[in-house]
Amino acid sequence: MMNENKLYQILQKKDITQVSLANQVGVSSNYINLITSGKRRPTLSLAHKIAQVLNCSIEDIFFPHAVKPQTIDKEIIADKISNIITIGNTILDYLKK
């Protein structure tokens, strides 16, 4: 299993040991080491606990290369909907003639 998570880097950056993380989430430090090295994957419940302790999202830790959805600009969407309505009304007016 290839290590594709960023758990090790995040622990280093936040200056948190694997032992400390293990204690906070209720598993052995050996198990955290296996997750960190990519030899094991955490359950969703454990991934959630780890994310809470590290104040990160599960995606940021365990799926760092996942494509993140873009933020939707509501003004742009509203403008496009308005344009569609205008076009629709124009077509209806034309058909009524």
Side-chain angles (χ1 to χ4, degrees):
M1 194 179 303
M2 190 165 77
N3 184 9
E4 294 183 2
N5 71 60
K6 293 196 130 206
L7 183 55
Y8 180 80
Q9 291 91 335
I10 294 169
L11 288 172
Q12 293 292 310
K13 184 177 180 181
K14 295 183 178 271
D15 197 29
I16 298 173
T17 66
Q18 291 182 19
V19 172
S20 174
L21 177 62
N23 289 335
Q24 292 180 68
V25 298
V27 297
S28 71
S29 58
N30 185 53
Y31 193 64
I32 293 295
N33 181 268
L34 291 172
I35 295 169
T36 301
S37 65
K39 294 177 182 171
R40 293 282 187 271
R41 291 188 180 156
T43 62
L44 182 56
S45 174
L46 179 56
H48 181 69
K49 288 177 186 177
I50 291 170
Q52 282 184 316
V53 168
L54 299 178
N55 196 29
C56 295
S57 71
I58 290 173
E59 292 82 6
D60 288 342
I61 301 168
F62 298 104
F63 304 100
H65 304 296
V67 176
K68 295 183 175 43
Q70 295 179 349
T71 303
I72 297 174
D73 187 332
K74 292 179 183 177
E75 281 186 32
I76 292 173
I77 299 296
D79 188 48
K80 290 192 182 295
I81 291 171
S82 177
N83 289 341
I84 291 168
I85 291 170
T86 301
I87 292 168
N89 287 335
T90 302
I91 291 169
L92 286 174
D93 290 342
Y94 176 80
L95 293 174
K96 289 178 183 177
K97 293 181 182 181

